[in-house]
Coordinates of all heavy atoms in Angstrom, one line a residue:
Chain A
D36 N 88.1 84.7 110.7 CA 87.9 86.0 110.1 C 86.4 85.8 109.3 O 85.7 86.7 109.1 CB 88.8 86.3 109.1 CG 90.2 86.9 109.6 OD1 90.0 87.3 110.8 OD2 91.2 86.9 109.0
Q87 N 84.4 90.1 125.9 CA 85.8 90.4 126.5 C 85.9 89.8 127.9 O 87.0 89.2 128.3 CB 85.9 91.9 126.6 CG 87.1 92.6 127.1 CD 88.2 92.4 126.2 OE1 88.0 92.2 124.9 NE2 89.5 92.3 126.7
D91 N 88.7 86.9 129.0 CA 89.6 87.3 130.1 C 89.5 86.2 131.1 O 90.6 85.6 131.6 CB 89.2 88.5 130.8 CG 89.7 89.7 130.1 OD1 90.5 89.5 129.2 OD2 89.4 90.8 130.5
L107 N 100.4 85.3 123.4 CA 101.0 85.8 122.2 C 100.1 86.6 121.5 O 100.4 87.8 120.9 CB 101.6 84.7 121.5 CG 102.6 83.8 122.1 CD1 103.3 82.8 121.2 CD2 103.9 84.8 122.6
R108 N 98.9 86.2 121.2 CA 97.9 87.0 120.5 C 96.5 86.5 120.9 O 96.3 85.4 121.4 CB 98.1 86.9 119.1 CG 98.0 85.6 118.4 CD 98.1 85.6 116.9 NE 98.6 84.4 116.4 CZ 98.4 84.0 115.2 NH1 97.5 84.7 114.4 NH2 98.8 82.8 114.7
N109 N 95.7 87.5 120.7 CA 94.2 87.2 121.0 C 93.4 87.9 120.0 O 93.4 89.2 120.0 CB 94.0 87.8 122.4 CG 92.5 87.4 122.9 OD1 91.7 86.8 122.1 ND2 92.0 87.8 124.1
E110 N 92.8 87.2 119.2 CA 91.9 87.8 118.2 C 90.5 87.5 118.3 O 90.1 86.4 118.6 CB 92.4 87.3 116.7 CG 93.9 87.7 116.5 CD 94.4 87.4 115.1 OE1 93.6 86.7 114.4 OE2 95.5 87.6 114.9
L111 N 89.6 88.4 118.2 CA 88.2 88.3 118.3 C 87.6 88.8 117.0 O 87.9 89.9 116.7 CB 87.7 88.9 119.5 CG 86.2 89.2 119.4 CD1 85.2 87.9 119.6 CD2 85.7 90.3 120.6
G113 N 83.8 89.3 115.3 CA 82.4 89.1 115.4 C 81.8 88.5 114.1 O 82.5 88.6 113.1
E119 N 80.8 90.7 105.9 CA 81.4 91.8 105.2 C 82.5 91.5 104.4 O 82.6 92.0 103.1 CB 81.7 93.0 106.2 CG 80.5 93.6 106.7 CD 80.8 94.6 107.9 OE1 82.0 95.1 108.0 OE2 79.9 95.0 108.5
I130 N 85.7 93.6 90.5 CA 86.1 95.0 90.0 C 87.4 94.9 89.3 O 87.7 95.3 88.3 CB 86.1 95.9 91.1 CG1 84.7 96.3 91.5 CG2 87.0 97.3 90.8 CD1 84.6 97.2 92.6
Y138 N 91.5 97.2 80.5 CA 93.0 97.7 80.1 C 93.5 96.9 78.9 O 94.1 97.3 78.0 CB 93.8 97.6 81.4 CG 95.3 97.9 81.0 CD1 95.6 99.4 81.0 CD2 96.3 97.2 80.8 CE1 96.9 99.8 80.6 CE2 97.6 97.5 80.4 CZ 97.8 98.9 80.4 OH 99.1 99.4 80.3
R142 N 94.8 97.9 75.3 CA 96.1 97.7 74.8 C 96.3 96.6 73.8 O 97.2 96.6 73.1 CB 97.1 97.5 76.0 CG 97.2 98.5 76.9 CD 98.0 99.8 76.5 NE 99.4 99.3 76.1 CZ 100.2 100.0 75.4 NH1 99.8 101.1 74.9 NH2 101.4 99.6 75.3
T183 N 96.9 89.1 94.6 CA 98.3 89.2 94.1 C 98.6 88.2 93.1 O 99.3 88.6 92.1 CB 99.1 88.9 95.4 OG1 98.8 89.5 96.5 CG2 100.6 89.2 95.0
Y187 N 100.0 88.8 89.3 CA 101.1 88.1 88.7 C 100.8 87.4 87.5 O 101.6 87.4 86.5 CB 101.6 87.1 89.8 CG 102.9 87.6 90.5 CD1 102.8 88.5 91.5 CD2 104.1 87.3 90.1 CE1 103.9 89.0 92.2 CE2 105.2 87.7 90.6 CZ 105.2 88.5 91.7 OH 106.3 89.0 92.3
I189 N 98.4 87.7 85.4 CA 98.1 88.5 84.3 C 99.4 89.1 83.7 O 99.6 89.2 82.5 CB 97.2 89.8 84.7 CG1 95.8 89.1 84.8 CG2 97.3 90.9 83.8 CD1 94.9 89.3 83.7
N190 N 100.3 89.5 84.7 CA 101.6 90.0 84.3 C 102.3 89.0 83.4 O 102.9 89.4 82.3 CB 102.4 90.1 85.6 CG 103.7 90.8 85.4 OD1 104.4 90.5 84.5 ND2 103.9 91.7 86.3
R198 N 104.6 89.7 73.1 CA 105.4 89.1 72.1 C 104.6 88.6 70.9 O 105.0 88.9 69.6 CB 106.2 88.0 72.7 CG 107.3 87.3 71.7 CD 108.2 88.4 71.3 NE 109.2 88.9 72.2 CZ 110.5 88.5 72.1 NH1 110.9 87.9 71.1 NH2 111.3 88.9 73.1
R200 N 101.8 90.0 69.9 CA 101.5 91.2 69.2 C 102.6 91.7 68.3 O 102.3 92.2 67.1 CB 101.1 92.3 70.2 CG 100.8 93.8 69.8 CD 100.4 94.6 70.9 NE 101.5 94.9 71.9 CZ 101.3 95.7 73.0 NH1 100.1 96.1 73.2 NH2 102.3 95.6 74.0
E201 N 103.8 91.6 68.8 CA 104.9 92.1 68.1 C 105.1 91.2 66.8 O 105.4 91.7 65.7 CB 106.1 92.1 69.0 CG 107.3 92.7 68.4 CD 108.6 92.7 69.3 OE1 108.5 92.9 70.4 OE2 109.7 92.3 68.7
R225 N 112.2 83.8 80.1 CA 111.6 84.9 81.0 C 110.6 84.3 81.8 O 110.6 84.6 83.1 CB 111.2 86.1 80.2 CG 110.7 87.2 81.0 CD 109.1 87.1 81.2 NE 108.6 87.9 82.3 CZ 107.4 87.8 82.7 NH1 106.6 86.9 82.3 NH2 107.0 88.6 83.6
N228 N 112.4 82.1 84.5 CA 113.2 82.8 85.5 C 112.5 83.8 86.4 O 112.8 83.8 87.5 CB 114.2 83.7 84.6 CG 115.3 82.8 83.9 OD1 115.2 81.6 84.3 ND2 116.1 83.4 83.1
T229 N 111.4 84.4 85.9 CA 110.7 85.2 86.8 C 110.0 84.5 87.9 O 110.0 84.8 89.1 CB 109.6 86.0 86.0 OG1 110.2 86.8 85.1 CG2 108.8 86.8 86.9
Chain B
R97 N 80.9 102.8 113.9 CA 82.1 102.0 114.3 C 83.3 102.9 114.7 O 83.5 104.0 114.0 CB 82.5 101.1 113.2 CG 81.6 99.9 113.1 CD 82.1 98.8 112.2 NE 81.1 97.8 112.0 CZ 81.1 96.9 111.1 NH1 82.1 96.9 110.3 NH2 80.2 96.0 111.1
E109 N 95.0 93.4 126.8 CA 93.6 93.0 127.2 C 93.0 93.9 128.2 O 91.8 94.4 128.0 CB 93.7 91.6 127.8 CG 94.1 90.5 126.8 CD 93.1 90.4 125.7 OE1 91.9 90.3 126.0 OE2 93.5 90.4 124.5
N113 N 89.7 96.4 128.0 CA 88.6 96.4 129.0 C 88.3 97.9 129.5 O 87.1 98.1 129.8 CB 89.0 95.6 130.2 CG 88.6 94.1 129.9 OD1 87.5 93.9 129.4 ND2 89.4 93.2 130.5
I230 N 83.6 94.2 118.2 CA 83.1 93.3 117.1 C 84.4 92.6 116.5 O 84.3 91.7 115.7 CB 82.1 93.9 116.1 CG1 82.9 95.1 115.5 CG2 80.9 94.2 116.7 CD1 82.2 95.4 114.2
E231 N 85.5 93.3 116.7 CA 86.7 92.7 116.1 C 88.0 93.2 117.0 O 88.0 94.3 117.4 CB 87.0 93.0 114.7 CG 88.2 92.5 114.0 CD 88.4 92.9 112.8 OE1 87.8 94.0 112.2 OE2 89.4 92.5 112.1
K232 N 88.8 92.3 117.4 CA 89.8 92.5 118.2 C 91.1 91.7 117.8 O 91.0 90.6 117.6 CB 89.6 92.2 119.7 CG 90.8 92.5 120.5 CD 90.5 92.2 122.0 CE 90.4 90.7 122.1 NZ 90.1 90.3 123.5
R233 N 92.2 92.3 117.6 CA 93.4 91.6 117.4 C 94.6 92.0 118.3 O 95.1 93.1 118.2 CB 93.9 91.7 115.8 CG 92.8 91.1 114.8 CD 93.1 91.3 113.5 NE 91.8 91.0 112.8 CZ 91.5 89.9 112.4 NH1 92.3 88.8 112.6 NH2 90.3 89.7 111.7
T234 N 94.8 91.1 119.1 CA 96.0 91.4 120.1 C 97.2 90.7 119.6 O 97.1 89.5 119.5 CB 95.7 91.1 121.5 OG1 94.3 91.2 121.7 CG2 96.3 92.0 122.4
G236 N 101.0 89.9 121.2 CA 101.9 90.2 122.2 C 103.2 90.7 121.7 O 103.6 90.3 120.6
Y265 N 123.1 83.0 86.0 CA 122.4 83.0 84.7 C 122.6 84.1 83.7 O 122.9 83.8 82.5 CB 120.9 82.9 85.0 CG 120.0 82.4 83.8 CD1 119.8 81.1 83.6 CD2 119.5 83.3 82.9 CE1 119.0 80.5 82.5 CE2 118.8 83.0 81.7 CZ 118.7 81.5 81.6 OH 117.9 81.1 80.5
Y266 N 122.8 85.2 84.2 CA 123.0 86.4 83.2 C 124.3 87.0 83.2 O 124.6 88.0 82.5 CB 121.9 87.5 83.5 CG 120.5 87.1 83.2 CD1 119.6 86.7 84.1 CD2 120.1 86.9 81.8 CE1 118.3 86.3 83.9 CE2 118.9 86.5 81.5 CZ 118.0 86.2 82.6 OH 116.7 85.9 82.2
L305 N 108.1 90.2 97.6 CA 107.5 89.9 96.2 C 107.9 91.0 95.2 O 108.1 90.7 94.0 CB 106.0 89.9 96.3 CG 105.4 88.6 96.9 CD1 103.8 88.7 97.1 CD2 105.7 87.4 96.0
M309 N 109.5 91.2 91.2 CA 109.1 91.9 90.1 C 110.2 92.9 89.6 O 110.2 93.0 88.3 CB 107.9 92.8 90.5 CG 106.7 92.1 91.1 SD 105.3 92.9 90.7 CE 104.6 91.9 89.4
D312 N 112.2 90.8 87.6 CA 111.5 90.5 86.4 C 111.7 91.6 85.3 O 112.0 91.2 84.1 CB 110.0 90.3 86.7 CG 109.1 90.0 85.4 OD1 109.6 89.1 84.7 OD2 108.2 90.7 85.1
R320 N 115.7 90.2 76.1 CA 115.8 91.0 74.7 C 117.2 91.4 74.3 O 117.4 91.2 73.1 CB 115.0 92.4 75.0 CG 113.6 92.2 75.0 CD 113.2 91.9 73.5 NE 111.7 91.9 73.3 CZ 111.1 91.8 72.2 NH1 111.9 91.8 71.0 NH2 109.9 91.8 72.1
E323 N 118.7 88.5 72.7 CA 118.2 88.2 71.2 C 118.8 89.3 70.4 O 119.2 88.9 69.2 CB 116.6 88.4 71.3 CG 116.0 87.2 71.8 CD 114.5 87.4 71.9 OE1 113.9 87.9 70.7 OE2 113.8 87.2 72.8
R341 N 112.4 97.8 73.1 CA 111.3 96.7 72.9 C 110.8 96.1 74.3 O 109.7 95.6 74.4 CB 111.9 95.7 71.9 CG 112.2 96.4 70.6 CD 113.0 95.5 69.7 NE 112.1 94.4 69.1 CZ 112.5 93.5 68.4 NH1 113.7 93.5 67.9 NH2 111.6 92.6 67.9
V344 N 107.7 98.2 76.5 CA 106.3 98.0 76.4 C 105.8 96.8 77.3 O 104.7 96.9 77.9 CB 106.0 97.8 74.9 CG1 104.5 97.7 74.7 CG2 106.6 98.8 74.1
D348 N 103.1 97.3 80.3 CA 101.8 96.6 80.2 C 101.6 95.6 81.4 O 100.6 95.5 82.0 CB 101.5 95.8 78.9 CG 101.1 97.1 77.7 OD1 100.7 98.0 78.2 OD2 101.3 96.6 76.6
T352 N 98.8 96.0 84.9 CA 97.7 95.1 85.4 C 98.0 94.7 86.7 O 97.0 94.6 87.5 CB 97.8 93.8 84.4 OG1 99.1 93.4 84.2 CG2 97.3 94.2 83.0
Y363 N 89.6 98.2 98.8 CA 88.6 97.4 99.5 C 89.2 96.7 100.7 O 88.4 96.3 101.6 CB 88.0 96.3 98.6 CG 87.1 96.8 97.6 CD1 87.5 97.2 96.4 CD2 85.8 97.1 98.0 CE1 86.5 97.8 95.5 CE2 84.9 97.6 97.2 CZ 85.3 98.1 95.8 OH 84.4 98.6 95.0
F371 N 99.8 95.8 102.7 CA 100.2 94.9 101.7 C 100.2 95.7 100.2 O 101.1 95.7 99.5 CB 99.3 93.7 101.6 CG 99.9 92.7 100.6 CD1 100.9 91.8 100.7 CD2 99.1 92.6 99.4 CE1 101.3 91.0 99.9 CE2 99.5 91.7 98.4 CZ 100.6 90.9 98.7

Side-chain angles (χ1 to χ4, degrees):
Chain A
D36 284 345
Q87 185 68 28
D91 276 355
L107 295 181
R108 56 177 161 152
N109 182 358
E110 300 186 354
L111 159 73
E119 285 174 16
I130 289 176
Y138 183 79
R142 296 286 299 166
T183 310
Y187 255 86
I189 282 271
N190 185 316
R198 186 53 78 107
R200 177 171 63 183
E201 193 185 311
R225 177 267 164 189
N228 288 352
T229 298
Chain B
R97 289 188 182 166
E109 293 298 309
N113 270 328
I230 57 163
E231 188 186 0
K232 178 185 68 177
R233 293 175 196 274
T234 329
Y265 194 89
Y266 290 106
L305 277 175
M309 301 207 105
D312 177 49
R320 275 291 184 174
E323 283 178 46
R341 296 172 74 177
V344 188
D348 279 339
T352 48
Y363 286 97
F371 179 80

